[in-house]
Every structure is written in structure tokens, then in C-alpha cells.
Amino acid sequence: MDVTKLTMLAALSVAALTGCQATKPLYHYGSYQSNVYEHFKNEDSAVTEEIEALEQTISESSRNKLQVGPGIYAHLGFLYLQSGQRDTGLGYLQKEKQLYPESATFIDFLLKNAKAGQS
Amino acid sequence: MSNIKAFSSLAMVLAMLSTLAGCASSQAPMDYSAFKQSNPKSILVLPPTNQTTEVIAPYGVLANVTVPLAEAGYYVFPVALVNETFKNNGLTVAEDIHAVAPKKLDDIFGADAVLYIDIEEYGTSYAVLSSDTVVVVKARLTDIKTNAILWEGKASAASSEQSGGNGGGIVGMLVEAAVKQIMETAMDTGFQIAAIASNRLLSPEAHNGLLYGPRSPKHGKEKPAK
């Protein structure tokens, strides 16, 4: 696979993503997909590096003036909880709910569990 | 030599066009009445069932479904956290998760619709002259409250679609095949091909594809009622 083919592959995925018409994306995802993949592949994956990549994704999205894609704040919040940074973690879970009210039931469930786990 | 290069680029462009032309397929149109009536805002994607021997297949697919669904205008529950939640409740087998009562899923996630994915093919087959990575996925979207089927679809993608012709004769082909096999494993072509297959499966622009969700500016504007 040379560079041309890689470019073609990228173009093809973009074409597949946007379908017949090219449109501006609704959200910014940054490294989210590959982070999720690595996260699944290896459960003890370096949480610190995953957090760093997603924090960068979030700052990129404000630079690109796109909303952070659904699930990213929640995923990041979960990583912070895992690494013992409880307040930051809970804050990011709240942020997901604020940005995406559709997530309220699930986020409340996660918050309740996180609190129960602590007290 | 440059002619051959130009030809292979042309072949790839043609391959791309034929992919896009999939939008204008002549398959019988799907009945969207249940979908429109349900009008889901959020989609819970369950860990996919896997008919292949690739243990990594569900991860490759699951990591690639959020973007097409979100861009289609739906809220997508964070797939890793969803998976974690099932695990914490003792559910680690996708078949068992797919069998959970929708009412129970609704209680925990509060989703409007559930996407059940089945992976039919995933992985690289190695042959002397070529290797090919193929991903075939099918999916069913149901209303979490009524369990009614809102939509069903199937899509595939293959790394061979992107390979151009080559002018190296039989020796060149052998070398290319060897290099490609190494590349496809090292660069995890499975993940890339899964991305293409997932996008094809879940793009509302595909023939008989999903409807646009409420977060998309195209919501409610497509596919006139039948």
C-alpha cells in the first residue's frame, strides 16, 4: 500500500462516511475511535495516554468550532474515575449529560454507581 | 510506466465511483413507517455478536459505529462504557447481551432505540498472489419500548477494492502480495476496513439506509413517505 493508495483509502472512507453529498461534519471525534479500539484491545491500556489523547481531541474541537462528539466526555470521565481522579471524572460525566440530555438516564446511573463505590 | 500508473489511478477512481453509485441502487425501497413513527433520538449499540474466529472483530466494529451514527443525527451511548456496564453486571457474551429484555435496557440506559449488530465476516485471508481483508456486518434497529423493528441493513467492505492494477508481472505480483500481507497485519487493515463497512452500513445516504436523526439538519427531509 503506497501513499497514493492510502490517500485513496482515506478518500474512500470519507466518501463512504458522507455518502453522496459532501457535507460539513456535525461533530469532532479526533482520536476517539482509535482510543476506544485500543481500550477494548487491551484492558490495561495506558489510561494516562488515553486521557491525554482525548483531552487533545477536546481542545481541537473548540479550535475547529465543532461540538465534541457524543460519548467522548463520558468516556473521558470514566477514564479519570479509573485513574482515581474522581472530581474531574464526575465533572466530565456531568458535561456529557449537559451537552447531550439524551444520555441523562445512563449518566445518572453511572454517577450513582460512582458515588456508591466511594462511600 | 506512467501510463500504467495513470491506469491504476483510473481503476481506483472507477472503483470509488462504483461505490458511490451504490446510492442509486434499484433494490426495492424499505418501509420506513415504523421508523418514522418511533422517531428515535438516541441509539444504544450493543456489543456485536461475532460469527468469525477473529476475537478482535467486535472491537473493530464497535469502535467504528459511533461516528456514522452520530453524523446521521443520533445520540450514541459511549460504547466502551456500555460494554463496561454489561461486564459489571456479569454479562460478557454478546449473545447473552442481545437476549436482555429491552425493558431492562431502557431502565439503565434510557435509549430510544437499540442497534443489534452481527459480524458475518472479519479478517484477512492469505493466498499466494493476494491477501484480502473483508468485513461483512448486518444490523437491526429496534424501538426499545415496543421492540418493533425500525430498520435492517447489511454492508461489506474489502481491502481488495482499493488495490489498483500493477505492472510488475508475476514477480512484481508476488512481491506486492508479500508486502501487502505484512502491511495488512501490521497496520491493522481490519480496523480500517471495519470503518468503511460500518460507514456503509449506517450512512443515511445509502440505499435503504437509516433515516437522519433529530440532531441532523437533514432530519425529516429525506425519503418521502411511501
Side-chain angles (χ1 to χ4, degrees):
Chain A
M1 219 186 264
D2 58 24
V3 177
T4 326
K5 284 180 191 169
L6 267 179
T7 315
M8 279 298 196
L9 183 73
L12 191 71
S13 352
V14 171
L17 179 72
T18 53
C20 300
Q21 299 140 278
T23 38
K24 189 176 178 279
L26 294 178
Y27 308 108
H28 181 72
Y29 307 91
S31 63
Y32 180 55
Q33 299 188 87
S34 48
N35 280 139
V36 166
Y37 187 50
E38 291 304 322
H39 184 87
F40 279 135
K41 276 208 297 190
N42 124 48
E43 307 224 323
D44 317 308
S45 65
V47 174
T48 325
E49 279 151 42
E50 220 186 307
I51 286 176
E52 226 167 83
L54 288 176
E55 286 285 6
Q56 202 191 324
T57 293
I58 287 168
S59 54
E60 280 164 9
S61 71
S62 61
R63 225 179 305 136
N64 298 345
K65 299 194 173 65
L66 280 172
Q67 187 169 319
V68 173
I72 297 179
Y73 279 120
H75 185 86
L76 182 56
F78 168 74
L79 294 174
Y80 274 116
L81 286 177
Q82 258 194 332
S83 72
Q85 288 161 271
R86 194 177 138 76
D87 291 345
T88 318
L90 296 178
Y92 273 121
L93 287 179
Q94 292 285 6
K95 193 129 196 192
E96 175 87 17
K97 186 168 123 174
Q98 205 185 321
L99 203 55
Y100 297 102
E102 300 95 320
S103 68
T105 305
F106 185 42
I107 297 295
D108 287 343
F109 170 85
L110 293 172
L111 290 171
K112 200 180 77 192
N113 282 1
K115 277 165 195 159
Q118 283 293 310
S119 55
Chain B
M1 188 61 201
S2 66
N3 276 346
I4 291 158
K5 262 222 151 116
F7 177 76
S8 78
S9 305
L10 182 69
M12 278 188 279
V13 169
L14 286 175
M16 276 180 65
L17 285 177
S18 67
T19 317
L20 294 181
C23 306
S25 159
S26 57
Q27 245 182 349
M30 191 174 288
D31 178 6
Y32 286 99
S33 49
F35 202 144
K36 284 182 179 164
Q37 201 187 344
S38 168
N39 193 23
K41 293 191 293 290
S42 61
I43 296 180
L44 172 68
V45 184
L46 298 182
T49 51
N50 182 14
Q51 310 305 323
T52 80
T53 52
E54 280 294 335
V55 290
I56 212 154
Y59 304 152
V61 172
L62 210 44
N64 280 305
V65 294
T66 303
V67 173
L69 285 175
E71 289 299 318
Y74 297 98
Y75 176 74
V76 187
F77 290 81
V79 288
L81 266 71
V82 169
N83 194 53
E84 199 75 25
T85 302
F86 286 120
K87 217 167 67 183
N88 291 341
N89 286 281
L91 290 167
T92 51
V93 179
E95 276 77 6
D96 297 343
I97 294 171
H98 284 214
V100 172
K103 170 81 177 71
K104 184 86 193 150
L105 296 176
D106 192 18
D107 288 347
I108 293 172
F109 299 100
D112 293 333
V114 189
L115 189 71
Y116 298 85
I117 301 176
D118 185 42
I119 304 165
E120 294 191 341
E121 283 183 57
Y122 193 105
T124 307
S125 57
Y126 300 99
V128 179
L129 291 183
S130 71
S131 67
D132 193 13
T133 302
V134 178
V135 174
V136 181
V137 277
K138 64 175 191 207
R140 185 177 83 246
L141 186 73
T142 62
D143 183 295
I144 205 165
K145 294 245 168 23
T146 66
N147 211 18
I149 295 175
L150 307 181
W151 173 88
E152 281 178 289
K154 183 172 172 171
S156 62
S159 60
S160 56
E161 291 170 39
Q162 282 87 41
S163 289
N166 74 81
I170 186 77
V171 176
M173 276 170 77
L174 279 167
V175 171
E176 193 190 59
V179 169
K180 222 178 119 198
Q181 282 188 16
I182 296 163
M183 295 294 275
E184 296 209 350
T185 351
M187 290 182 55
D188 206 340
T189 311
F191 180 72
Q192 295 169 18
I193 301 301
I196 298 175
S198 307
N199 283 315
R200 284 180 184 163
L201 177 69
L202 303 169
S203 167
E205 296 292 341
H207 182 67
N208 283 344
L210 288 169
L211 297 178
Y212 280 103
R215 286 184 168 271
S216 166
K218 292 181 185 168
H219 177 240
K221 289 181 185 153
E222 76 290 71
K223 289 166 188 145
K226 251 199 70 107

